[in-house]
Amino acid sequence: MNRPARLHPAWIVAAVAFVALVGAAGFRATPSVLLHPLHTEFRWPVATISAAVSVNLLLYGLTAPFAAALMDRFGIRRVVAAALALVAAGSGLTVFMTASWQLVLCWGVLVGLGTGSMALAFVATVTGRWFVRRRGLVTGVLTAGGAAGQLVFLPLLAMLVAASGWRAAALVVAGAALLVVPLVLWLLREHPADLGLPPYGATEIEPVTRPAGGAAARAVGALAQAARTRPFWLLAAGFAICGATTNGLVGTHFIPAAHDHGMPQTTAAGLLALVGLFDIVGTVASGWLTDRFDPRLLLVAYYALRGGSLLVLPGLFAATTEPSMLVFIIFYGLDWVATVPPTVALCREYFGTSGAVVFGWVFASHQLGAAVAASGAGLVRDQLGTYTLAWYVAGTLSVGAAVLSLMLLRRRGTTVREPVPVAAGSKAWSYRG
């Protein structure tokens, strides 16, 4: 009698990572629900509150490459557990704040550092260690955890804010972060070799190698070497535009922009959560496509379609949810972070075993773009009384990102590089084609 096939531990690790990513996305989405209540209670300008969001987004990105290097040095489990504790502290302490700088410290710095340690470089680390087969698909599923976080948290938080005030929402986020910690410490394994197994889809056990030197030195060294290559700058510039047009603009300002046109905040939050629902479908599909098609072509299509949708968005806002707005929500949701699986795949292709850390830096550019857009759109709203100009600029930039991806396609086959030590015993790395 044949024994049933045993579930590979890679799937358990992926499931726990998914839960952590769901939480991280929900925590990051919270400021968009709090923007109007904080403005009403404290009379802080929208630009001031947006500045806290910008700090959050910027640190979320800048933390990613260092977190990836820390995971290599100290382990995924410790880094993710510490990150969840930071999120809980940052969110919980906001209930005591009385000044805008405290908002920047709590939501900007603490929550930014915590969620940044569970960013998409975390996805690249998990999939790089545990999967050979289905790597693109699993990358898509884990990335979709971000969409699921919005889906789970946004409507709940919007209802909590409406019924009990923004402080209740902040405390729920803190409690949810703490609840995930025991799960991470119990089930989030480090390497397949620790269990005497090869990665999923591989036939040989890969030995565990601990990188020499500090995590910061490794992260900065990977950036220094990658920055000498053309693909890095093309990927980073395109991903900066990706961040500006998703987390920075739509993720932060869609709810207040819809509210400006008479739509209730709970309805607008529900629409943004619907973006998250369709993003799950779009990102998983993108992972499946990345396993089968040239990721450069996928990026060209994703960015071009996003640009077109943003250019028509200003004419779709109304006090009620019109069919045309629902079409935009579905379309934009499918495209929201569909760019992640092909970008991760290209970082791995161009930069080999340093791909996860290099992707952390590419992702940092994503959050830099998001931070600029979050503050910039707030300034546009304060000065002009409307977000219209911000939508048009974002649409134009997205078309530009499609052009950058076309430039990657033209250079295909001449820039693929593998990291190798510069010299025996050296901590520096170089890339050879």
Side-chain angles (χ1 to χ4, degrees):
M1 187 170 100
N2 293 330
R3 291 183 178 180
R6 181 188 174 193
L7 179 68
H8 195 288
W11 296 108
I12 298 174
V13 171
V16 177
F18 182 85
V19 172
L21 288 159
V22 166
F27 309 148
R28 287 188 297 102
T30 306
S32 65
V33 178
L34 303 186
L35 197 150
H36 265 293
L38 291 175
H39 175 67
T40 301
E41 178 173 334
F42 294 104
R43 300 298 177 186
W44 297 333
V46 173
T48 298
I49 302 171
S50 298
V53 178
S54 294
V55 171
N56 178 295
L57 293 171
L58 187 59
L59 286 178
Y60 177 72
L62 290 176
T63 303
F66 295 97
L70 284 170
M71 288 176 189
D72 285 343
R73 186 74 186 276
F74 299 107
I76 299 174
R77 196 179 329 191
R78 292 179 183 176
V79 173
V80 174
L84 289 165
L86 274 177
V87 170
S91 182
L93 289 173
T94 56
V95 302
F96 303 109
M97 69 182 179
T98 56
S100 59
W101 68 265
Q102 295 164 346
L103 176 69
V104 174
L105 175 63
C106 292
W107 276 109
V109 177
L110 295 180
V111 176
L113 290 172
T115 55
S117 299
M118 298 179 288
L120 296 178
F122 171 41
V123 174
T125 300
V126 169
T127 56
R129 288 185 185 183
W130 284 91
F131 291 89
V132 172
R133 192 158 60 95
R134 310 294 187 198
R135 183 179 282 167
L137 178 62
V138 176
T139 299
V141 172
L142 292 182
T143 303
Q150 281 190 338
L151 177 67
V152 170
F153 276 88
L154 273 178
L156 171 63
L157 292 171
M159 289 187 290
L160 271 174
V161 169
S164 305
W166 65 266
R167 289 175 177 82
L171 291 174
V172 165
V173 168
L178 290 177
L179 283 175
V180 181
V181 173
L183 186 67
V184 167
L185 293 175
W186 178 33
L187 293 175
L188 195 58
R189 302 283 186 169
E190 298 294 341
H191 295 273
D194 295 339
L195 304 176
L197 295 171
Y200 181 78
T203 57
E204 296 182 0
I205 297 175
E206 297 180 359
V208 178
T209 56
R210 304 291 180 188
R218 182 167 184 262
V220 173
L223 172 64
Q225 295 297 330
R228 299 175 185 176
T229 68
R230 189 169 183 262
F232 173 80
W233 292 107
L234 293 174
L235 288 169
F239 225 43
I241 294 171
C242 179
T245 53
T246 52
N247 304 83
L249 182 58
V250 176
T252 304
H253 293 284
F254 179 84
I255 292 175
H259 190 71
D260 284 347
H261 289 79
M263 182 178 290
Q265 182 162 300
T266 51
T267 302
L271 288 175
L272 200 55
L274 197 59
V275 168
L277 175 63
F278 284 97
D279 184 32
I280 296 173
V281 178
T283 309
V284 173
S286 179
W288 183 86
L289 290 169
T290 300
D291 283 334
R292 290 161 175 80
F293 299 99
D294 189 334
R296 301 159 189 81
L297 289 175
L298 296 178
L299 288 178
V300 171
Y302 296 157
Y303 286 130
L305 292 171
R306 180 182 300 178
S309 65
L310 284 170
L311 289 172
V312 302
L313 177 60
L316 305 182
F317 283 110
T320 58
T321 305
E322 302 295 332
S324 56
M325 177 59 82
L326 286 175
V327 171
F328 169 83
I329 291 296
I330 293 169
F331 182 85
Y332 204 78
L334 291 171
D335 189 67
W336 180 265
V337 288
T339 54
V340 172
T343 303
V344 170
L346 288 172
C347 285
R348 189 176 293 115
E349 176 181 331
Y350 286 119
F351 306 108
T353 55
S354 292
V357 177
V358 174
F359 175 73
W361 287 112
V362 173
F363 182 69
S365 74
H366 181 281
Q367 295 310 110
L368 177 61
V372 171
S375 291
L379 287 171
V380 168
R381 171 64 177 79
D382 284 342
Q383 296 299 317
L384 303 180
T386 176
Y387 285 102
T388 300
L389 177 63
W391 305 122
Y392 287 141
V393 170
T396 304
L397 287 173
S398 294
V399 175
V403 175
L404 294 174
S405 300
L406 273 175
M407 294 171 68
L408 271 172
L409 189 67
R410 288 174 51 200
R411 299 282 294 184
R412 186 184 180 188
T414 63
T415 56
V416 177
R417 305 173 189 270
E418 283 295 325
V420 294
V422 172
S426 173
K427 295 177 184 177
W429 292 82
S430 182
Y431 294 89
R432 67 185 179 194

